[in-house]
Amino acid sequence: MKQRLLAAMLACLLLSGCGAVRTEPVDQESAPTDEPVIAYVPLDDRPDNVERAVYLADSLGYELAMPEADDYRTRLQDQPLNENGTQYGDRADLYEWVLAQEAAGCDRYILSLDQLLSGGLVNSRSLWESEPVTLSDGTTLTEEALLDNLLAALAADADNQVWLLESVMRLAPTVGYDHWDLEGYNALRSYGMAGRPVLEGEKLTISNIEADYRLGSGGTVLALSEFGLEEWEVAEYLSARTRKLSLSDQMLETVSRPGYENFHVLIGIDDSSVEDSIQKNEIAYLRSLLREGDALLSGVDDLAFKAIARLYLDEIGWQGVNVSVRYYGGTEDQPACDYDYQPLTTIMEEHFDFFGLTEADPGAEELRILVLTQPADEAQKAAYYEALIADLNDCRKAGMPVVLIDAGNGTYGTAFHDALTEETELGWLLSYAGFLDMAIVTGTALSHGVARYAFLHHGEQTEATERAFARTLADSILKDFCYKNVVREELIAYIRNDLGGNPDNFWQPAIDLEAVQSRLESGMDAATADVVENLEHSNFISNLESYTERGWGGVELTNYRFPWDRAFEIGMDIRLGEFTQPHEKILGFYYQ
């Protein structure tokens, strides 16, 4: 059956050109037509890797083609399995899908290797031995052969532009997947966080890295009992690290050869710490193999955003832009949360290099980035965010485009978001991020903001690109302001206390899904009202050359859903009314 489906799909693609139907849950209200196509294999089926990536591509005039959703979907423990009978993506289907895109003439690719080689990010942390892949015609390939064949097929066309997305394995596997629970996660994270011998120069090899996995920084074997771990748990964990690092090494060695100049490598660091952890030698080794133009940056769930943005910037011949960054809160010289291994300023600087941003003195910038950090002085919280809001409103009056980053990591509660909603024009921002870990937030905000800034200067605006931009901004603001800090906390308490369930997996034990869905919908209807009103009365920048603004129309939120049947994140559809002439008065904020 799979073989017949592939043959039919390939025949259709050869007739119609590169591209495949985008499948649910992405609402295609703003999808462009007859636009350049990017063949995209996502990290998994969470919203940041699917609908929000679609919105960003649409806003830049691309069409993002993806395989069938079931082929890249992740299921947590005890949840209904995918069609292939597994909890993870179908590597054979994905491999054949990419080859079908190539046969149909596609020449832009963004490919998650965690998905193609492991069936998704979560499974890449638990797959501790190589598993051959059986194709639809019965051919069996080792993981190494599949990787070699795929890269060689795409390298054969010098017109291809291929972005390969990879990750450094995080410090511990996923709670609620495979056999890991919260206790096992915490134990393994502590074990992974412990210092290891630091390897340098010629000693920095995979074999030496693997040999030192079990050693503390002093060179003695770490006692598993001190972490509450058993030998089989650590053996699985370390084998998974070795497998993943070896495949990354193979990929980097391959693209370093002649003929792979059209490949670009982007590696993300997932869940790290400031210690000389088990990741440190892996990061150093992978970084030593990068070519000019490749990058290894903090953040994984934002990899697709970065790749889409950079693909666009490269195609328009981006020369960069002068930016200023202003921090409020006083802790920018520290990691912004427990899962970062670098100070926030360092993460920003590395992303500046990736996007071609040059930091300029105030007054010489073309784009301003405002960042709220965790508060250095708890008593000054309100003063920190009110100073940022004053700066934002000054930028609004002066027509200075702004990227806004909330790196407070929840320390301001709802106060900062409430103040933004009451005192600023949210829909005027170029981009906003604040939902996930701070490394991801940085990459997300800059990807969207820089891409939008560049498109306003170089792109061809259409109703489709404008509506896609508005949807991705609304999605980011509404989920952070309304779901993360309001509805989610109430839902977690309801699931635990009223339903006796697990907010991290609605199937362990099974709970009343309809009741959870109803509570989500009623909670979001109430929590989003003020933010939606703000957006509907906002203007947005439509052209920077002539500085033209347009007014937002209606914002309708529908189809709320839990992609992984857990409370951590939600998906939703955003429908927009017709854009208007610029609003003369924005809730009384600026034009009184």
Side-chain angles (χ1 to χ4, degrees):
M1 181 63 177
K2 291 271 189 179
Q3 189 172 7
R4 292 197 300 273
L5 286 173
L6 176 65
M9 180 181 71
L10 180 55
C12 291
L13 287 171
L14 289 171
L15 289 172
S16 62
C18 174
V21 175
R22 288 207 303 239
T23 55
E24 53 81 27
V26 181
D27 174 12
Q28 299 186 53
E29 182 245 0
S30 65
T33 57
D34 300 322
E35 300 291 350
V37 175
I38 303 171
Y40 171 53
V41 173
L43 184 65
D44 52 42
D45 58 314
R46 288 172 297 160
D48 271 12
N49 298 314
V50 184
E51 50 257 49
R52 293 202 66 207
V54 169
Y55 298 161
L56 178 58
D58 287 355
S59 75
L60 299 173
Y62 294 112
E63 180 182 354
L64 207 61
M66 292 185 292
E68 292 293 327
D70 198 71
D71 283 340
Y72 56 83
R73 179 175 283 136
T74 294
R75 304 287 196 178
L76 300 181
Q77 203 72 20
D78 296 330
Q79 295 181 359
L81 299 177
N82 294 331
E83 290 180 5
N84 65 6
T86 71
Q87 296 176 262
Y88 48 86
D90 192 319
R91 298 176 297 167
D93 273 11
L94 294 170
Y95 171 75
E96 292 176 335
W97 182 83
V98 175
L99 295 184
Q101 307 310 298
E102 181 62 12
C106 199
D107 55 11
R108 296 175 180 85
Y109 296 87
I110 297 176
L111 306 175
S112 167
L113 294 182
D114 281 316
Q115 184 64 249
L116 281 159
L117 298 176
S118 303
L121 179 65
V122 168
N123 203 51
S124 74
R125 303 165 182 161
S126 296
L127 197 54
W128 52 275
E129 60 182 356
S130 295
E131 291 186 359
V133 179
T134 302
L135 304 181
S136 57
D137 64 359
T139 301
T140 298
L141 295 175
T142 65
E143 295 167 345
E144 294 79 9
L146 185 148
L147 178 59
D148 275 344
N149 291 358
L150 181 68
L151 299 184
L154 297 177
D157 184 352
D159 291 330
N160 283 340
Q161 290 296 318
V162 182
W163 280 86
L164 300 176
L165 311 183
E166 181 61 303
S167 67
V168 177
M169 182 173 161
R170 75 179 195 176
L171 294 175
T174 302
V175 176
Y177 189 85
D178 201 6
H179 52 76
W180 299 109
D181 57 16
L182 183 59
E183 182 180 359
Y185 165 85
N186 287 331
L188 276 177
R189 192 170 194 276
S190 295
Y191 180 77
M193 195 185 302
R196 265 57 174 189
V198 177
L199 299 173
E200 297 177 330
E202 295 181 354
K203 294 183 178 180
L204 190 61
T205 65
I206 286 185
S207 59
N208 286 342
I209 292 172
E210 183 179 5
D212 285 353
Y213 274 159
R214 291 178 177 269
L215 303 182
S217 56
T220 58
V221 175
L222 294 167
L224 303 188
S225 60
E226 293 182 6
F227 300 93
L229 292 167
E230 298 183 25
E231 170 57 31
W232 68 270
E233 294 174 310
V234 174
E236 282 190 10
Y237 170 69
L238 298 182
S239 294
R241 301 201 75 91
T242 297
R243 171 189 172 273
K244 185 155 173 43
L245 182 62
S246 297
L247 288 170
S248 299
D249 178 57
Q250 178 187 338
M251 177 269 292
L252 288 167
E253 192 280 326
T254 299
V255 300
S256 68
R257 303 171 191 164
Y260 288 87
E261 292 80 8
N262 54 342
F263 283 67
H264 316 272
V265 175
L266 178 55
I267 302 175
I269 304 168
D270 189 18
D271 177 10
S272 193
S273 71
V274 295
E275 289 82 5
D276 288 338
S277 73
I278 198 168
Q279 290 177 327
K280 183 161 186 175
N281 290 324
E282 295 174 339
I283 292 169
Y285 179 73
L286 295 174
R287 198 183 295 277
S288 73
L289 300 178
L290 298 179
R291 306 160 302 162
E292 184 177 356
D294 295 338
L296 192 155
L297 299 168
S298 291
V300 168
D301 290 327
D302 59 345
L303 285 174
F305 301 151
K306 293 173 186 172
I308 293 168
R310 266 295 304 273
L311 188 152
Y312 175 73
L313 296 177
D314 291 347
E315 291 196 344
I316 64 171
W318 175 247
Q319 297 300 307
V321 64
N322 291 327
V323 303
S324 65
V325 56
R326 296 182 179 180
Y327 297 98
Y328 296 86
T331 60
E332 62 270 17
D333 58 349
Q334 305 170 22
C337 72
D338 292 339
Y339 302 100
D340 290 339
Y341 82 108
Q342 296 172 313
L344 182 57
T345 50
T346 302
I347 293 175
M348 290 286 288
E349 289 165 4
E350 291 182 349
H351 282 81
F352 278 19
D353 289 342
F354 182 72
F355 289 115
L357 307 180
T358 301
E359 192 162 355
D361 293 329
E365 76 272 50
E366 302 161 80
L367 171 65
R368 188 169 298 173
I369 301 167
L370 303 180
V371 185
L372 182 67
T373 74
Q374 294 193 52
D377 182 349
E378 289 283 326
Q380 296 298 313
K381 283 182 179 180
Y384 294 140
Y385 65 71
E386 287 294 351
L388 182 150
I389 287 173
D391 195 346
L392 173 58
N393 287 341
D394 287 343
C395 289
R396 173 67 180 95
K397 293 172 185 175
M400 170 64 68
V402 172
V403 170
L404 177 58
I405 299 175
D406 179 1
N409 200 35
T411 53
Y412 295 86
T414 62
F416 176 46
H417 296 157
D418 290 345
L420 285 168
T421 305
E422 293 170 2
E423 302 173 31
T424 73
E425 186 179 354
L426 297 170
W428 181 80
L429 295 166
L430 285 191
S431 69
Y432 168 83
F435 189 91
L436 296 170
D437 297 336
M438 293 307 103
I440 301 168
V441 164
T442 302
T444 298
L446 292 179
S447 297
H448 287 79
V450 174
R452 177 63 177 174
Y453 180 88
F455 191 74
L456 287 171
H457 276 292
H458 301 280
E460 182 179 346
Q461 299 286 1
T462 67
E463 282 298 306
T465 61
E466 297 282 61
R467 297 173 79 80
F469 157 72
R471 293 173 87 197
T472 194
L473 180 60
D475 186 276
S476 186
I477 290 172
L478 286 161
K479 286 179 180 175
D480 193 38
F481 286 28
C482 306
Y483 183 69
K484 176 185 176 183
N485 284 322
V486 180
V487 177
R488 185 170 68 180
E489 295 307 309
E490 191 277 337
L491 261 177
I492 289 172
Y494 172 69
I495 291 167
R496 283 179 176 156
N497 301 331
D498 293 54
L499 301 181
N502 176 7
D504 295 324
N505 186 345
F506 301 162
W507 296 78
Q508 285 188 327
I511 58 175
D512 186 343
L513 298 181
E514 291 185 3
V516 180
Q517 181 69 25
S518 176
R519 187 61 68 101
L520 169 64
E521 292 171 0
S522 62
M524 287 296 287
D525 286 346
T528 59
D530 289 344
V531 180
V532 166
E533 182 182 7
N534 184 301
L535 293 172
E536 289 178 338
H537 290 82
S538 290
N539 295 328
F540 66 90
I541 303 171
S542 182
N543 186 297
L544 273 174
E545 299 295 331
S546 60
Y547 197 82
T548 303
E549 294 185 2
R550 301 181 74 184
W552 284 62
V555 178
E556 180 186 5
L557 309 177
T558 62
N559 192 24
Y560 293 115
R561 53 193 178 269
F562 298 99
W564 280 13
D565 279 349
R566 65 178 186 177
F568 182 79
E569 73 272 280
I570 61 168
M572 63 186 183
D573 292 343
I574 301 173
R575 291 274 174 175
L576 303 174
E578 294 299 318
F579 293 139
T580 70
Q581 293 297 314
H583 299 283
E584 293 184 2
K585 189 174 182 181
I586 313 302
L587 300 178
F589 297 153
Y590 304 110
Y591 302 115
Q592 289 180 331

